[in-house]
Amino acid sequence: MIRNYFKIAWRNIRSNKLFTALNIAGLAIGLCVCMILFSFVNTELGFDKMYSNSEDIYRVNMETSEEYNFETWATMPNAVGPAIAQDIPQVKLMTRLIKDDFGATASLKIGDKNFTENRLYLADSAIFKMFDFKFLEGNSNDAFSKPKSIVLSQSAKIRLFGNQDAMGQLIIVNNINTLQVSGIYADLPKNSVMDIDMVYNIMDTWMGTNVYWSNASYETYLQLEPNSNVSNLQNQATGLIDKYVDKDNQYFTKFIFQPLTEIHLHSAHVREAYSSKMGSITAIKSLLFLSLLVLLIACINYMNLATANAQKRAKGIGINKVLGANRRQMLSLFYVETGIMVFLSIAIGYAVSFLTLPLFKSITGNELSYQDLLDTPILIGLLIIWILVTLVAGSYPAISMSNISPLILVNKSKKKGSASELIRKGLVVFQFAASIVLIIAVTIILQQMAFIKNRNLGYDPNGIVAVSVKSAETEQQVESLIKGLERLVNVESVSAVQSMPGANESGRSVYKMATDGTGLPIASCRTDGNIVNTLKLKVIAGNELPETIPEGDSIIYSLINEKILNYLDYKTPEDAIGKIIHTELGSMAIITGVVENFNFNSLKESVGGYMYYKSRKAPEGIRTLLVRYNTQDLSKFMSQLQQTFNEALPNTAFDYQFLDRHVAQLYASEEKTASTATLFSVLAIFIACLGLFGLAAFTAEQRTKEIGVRKVLGATVTGITRLLSKDFLKLVLVAFVIAAPVAYLIMRNWLLDFAYRTEISWWVFAFAGIAALCIALITVSFQAIKAAMANPVKSLRTE
Amino acid sequence: MLLELNNIFKWVNQGGKRIFLLSDINLKIDEGEFISIMGPSGSGKSTLLNVIGMLDGFQEGEYNFMGESVHTMKEKNRSKLYKEYIGFVFQAYHLIDELTVYENIETPLLYKDINSSERKALVADMLDRFNIVGKKDLFPSQLSGGQQQLVGVARALITKPKLILADEPTGNLNSKQSEEIMQLFKELNQEGVTIIQATHSETNAAYGSRVLHLLDGRRDFN
Ligand SMILES: Nc1ncnc2c1ncn2[C@@H]1O[C@H](COP(=O)(O)OP(=O)(O)OP(=O)(O)O)[C@@H](O)[C@H]1O
Ligand SMILES: [Mg+2]
């Protein structure tokens, strides 16, 4: 019996080539997308599950006080870890983790070669056991037994030393810290938040030994005894705050143990973490939703085309029923047919997913390897998808067609076309509504991206390169570099700063009164050059910072932005000039000038308080030179720049970043959203059009005779084309009416994430509606024109 | 007695009015009869055949088939019953286009769960008997109308039904082809198969043992 089903199903599939091709194409595209996305989701969900004690490892996060808006931070004082490890016996292992120099790019010197390094960490030795480090050379027990040791990942070792032996070699970090290689470990798993390239012993530095409860810069990881009562231990840890910290200095109020396996996807609210491998559960969810939507649209194609085909098939079903087939057997026949079709589509979609993987990577920016597509859960997933899609796509055609009565053979009654017609129309409307929502969404996303890019930030990030000088050996080196740079023709201005905007400023607070407990958290940045010129800031009161400060002058000259000014309740900007500003910088800080607000952070946040200061006795160092240039030939300029740099700082790696790219980087995830949404909407529309194309073909075929008669009676080609296209276009219009408000609500919500956002204008909707209409029109009229042009005599004769 | 219809009424509602398709049909048919139903177009011949064949229902009256009362039966049992005892032959042949001659004849056996070796034997016999062994791998579209109807009859016979219902079996055939089919029906009838056919042709009706006249859904005894 089942063999017979296969035979009949297979012949049906083959006998109707257009139907089969459209269905397989639609389903294969949908499935290809799903497959790629599922493997992406699969790797994302698998993050950090591979360690032998994954279940028992937690990161300590802390909840801050009102002063810091109750934010949750992943970094905390270096005293937290040791205190928890000491006072809570259920803590088996503890390690602190901090990036060298608080996350700034490190300059490594090996022999006479310089390298830059972004993933150099300091940690306690427990990290090796906790995260299953596999040592290829050296071992986890001895790695940190000698002072000033450093261990490298295998790929870092190859990058720094090539094929040469690395053990025992010296690495000079930032020209101040000489470390000796004491071990090489196999690269940590790709899907782990631990992105440690190389690590040295935190206990070799003041960071490990000099514990205090103030500066929060350290991540802290704990491995608990198996089956510990986590919330209980969490409360115990929180209890330590009162034990060790004065009430007045408690700027954090609670410790939260976040399971290791949740860090990657569930840390959107956690700030200040070091790992570069941060995912987002909302991104995963929306990707999953989008791919299911595309798949659903493909399934609908199948349902629509299959039921449109029903009239052709009805006779066969009637006969089979008269010959003794029951409903169940007819159901099976249709499911077998759908099953074969879906199987073919999966096979094709799966094969294509391997080919399109690089494309997917480049469009969405998501890392994925061929290996990920072969993972067991994916293969099991394929099976589940096969069954699921067969059931979903096959359901409606199977049920509606297996109900066809054998009476269809003897008279023309019981043609209850209206219900299935209505459902078919409903499904087309759904497809197009979904497509239109996607078009509108994509347009608004792109509009918002353009809005952000073109928005006046309050400073001009274009044409500035930030050169790191934090690893200079002496101040003279930096000075001679500045002099060298100022001699270059294409350099307009150079400012020495602690940080480029929004990177490594110091967090301070501004107080209204010196005695206030809480103030306004601000970013403060030391500068030495003419920052107003370099960044093109706008001074609204007072002066720029003085060019030079005479010997013996201990005043801290500061430039504040309007945000700080407003907080300080001065009536006019001018009132503030010359006044003392109360910060942790002491009582010598005075306000020299006020600048217009500028967006040093992402436009998702509203402007915060910002203060540039200049002083002979600055607590922070100069780490970056902001170079404003003006050139047509950037690559030539950059090589000049590098040459100048190497002359002034011969032992330091040339590390630079373009400021505009840094700013663009702030919106990387939105860019990703934009390109992903574009991809999905194109696919959704394409698949919906495949379906529409098929439906139009069927309608034209069904009405061949009518068209023939009409033509004989004198109808024109245009008239007939209009006749055939009209109904479909009505559906698109209905879809638009449904889609527009839905899209509006979704996108208004999305825009709320941005402090600065574009207006949703009516033309976006007009554009989406017209686009959908045009696409549908082209698809449908192709068939309509073909039908209208056909020779009427022929079509009438065949009937 | 093979089947019995008592006071059968069948109607449809159209614009709030009852339109009777069959009214007060009484009929007894014994095993081995060959009955022709005649009447003008629209008189209800096909409707009556469908009721007898259990493909269609009716609103009032009783229908007993081989001692079982069809009118009280559930849909499922009813289809079991006709699957077992009734074969259908259609004016438009209604072969399955996607299947070969062989497979068309075989299909009813599949729905009766007959095993494959037995199926082979039965189909081979049937092909033999109708002299269409050479055509067994052709598709319906490759046959003439007469040949297609031959296959249709073969398919109806393959399950050894007690009753064959034929709705204008020769309506699409020329006179020579018609004669062949009618001759075949006669032979089958002689072998004991009960046959009921609807027809417009006096000649065809003459093959039967009894003629039943319909007019506007009623039996016409004039
Ligand atoms: N479902 C229905 N709804 C309304 N009218 C119907 C329905 N089924 C049949 N009829 C009507 O019942 C009457 C009898 O139809 P039937 O097909 O039985 O006639 P017939 O005797 O077989 O005619 P012909 O010789 O043309 O085949 C016709 O007038 C037909 O229009
Ligand atoms: Mg009829």
Side-chain angles (χ1 to χ4, degrees), chain A residues 318-332:
Chain A
I319 299 168
N320 273 295
K321 283 211 167 165
V322 167
L323 298 182
N326 57 31
R327 220 178 89 81
R328 199 173 41 80
Q329 286 163 323
M330 287 295 96
L331 269 179
S332 328

Side-chain angles (χ1 to χ4, degrees), chain A residues 304-432:
Chain A
N304 266 345
L305 293 176
T307 45
N309 210 3
Q311 258 163 0
K312 273 191 183 169
R313 302 290 302 276
K315 189 188 130 196
I317 297 158
I319 299 168
N320 273 295
K321 283 211 167 165
V322 167
L323 298 182
N326 57 31
R327 220 178 89 81
R328 199 173 41 80
Q329 286 163 323
M330 287 295 96
L331 269 179
S332 328
L333 177 67
F334 276 100
Y335 276 122
V336 167
E337 198 173 314
T338 311
I340 295 177
M341 198 89 98
V342 176
F343 181 82
L344 291 175
S345 310
I346 287 187
I348 294 172
Y350 192 48
V352 172
S353 67
F354 282 87
L355 299 176
T356 51
L357 197 59
L359 192 71
F360 170 80
K361 235 194 272 188
S362 70
I363 293 178
T364 66
N366 291 320
E367 275 304 317
L368 209 56
S369 70
Y370 293 120
Q371 197 55 46
D372 295 325
L373 281 176
L374 295 168
D375 205 8
T376 326
I378 296 303
L379 298 179
I380 295 170
L382 284 182
L383 194 71
I384 295 173
I385 291 182
W386 180 39
I387 293 168
L388 219 64
V389 171
T390 302
L391 290 181
V392 171
S395 61
Y396 175 55
I399 290 167
S400 72
M401 289 210 243
S402 62
N403 273 336
I404 287 173
S405 149
L407 281 178
I408 190 106
L409 298 178
V410 277
N411 53 35
K412 298 195 166 59
S413 70
K414 291 248 179 179
K415 233 206 285 169
K416 48 170 187 123
S418 54
S420 70
E421 187 87 336
L422 202 67
I423 291 175
R424 195 148 71 227
K425 283 181 177 166
L427 292 174
V428 171
V429 166
F430 173 83
Q431 287 183 311
F432 268 82

Side-chain angles (χ1 to χ4, degrees), chain A residues 494-570:
Chain A
V494 181
S495 282
V497 288
Q498 168 189 350
S499 161
M500 60 184 180
N504 298 304
E505 288 92 350
S506 306
R508 292 213 156 81
S509 295
V510 166
Y511 305 97
K512 294 182 180 177
M513 313 278 260
T515 50
D516 276 0
T518 57
L520 172 76
I522 60 153
S524 85
C525 179
R526 181 189 163 191
T527 177
D528 240 2
N530 192 335
I531 192 69
V532 169
N533 250 354
T534 308
L535 288 182
K536 299 194 174 157
L537 298 173
K538 209 163 164 198
V539 180
I540 55 176
N543 299 304
E544 296 174 6
L545 297 174
E547 206 152 306
T548 50
I549 303 174
E551 192 111 25
D553 183 350
S554 55
I555 288 178
I556 296 175
Y557 297 90
S558 62
L559 211 54
I560 61 170
N561 68 354
E562 289 170 287
K563 173 86 184 181
I564 298 181
L565 178 83
N566 293 342
Y567 177 76
L568 291 178
D569 303 327
Y570 289 111

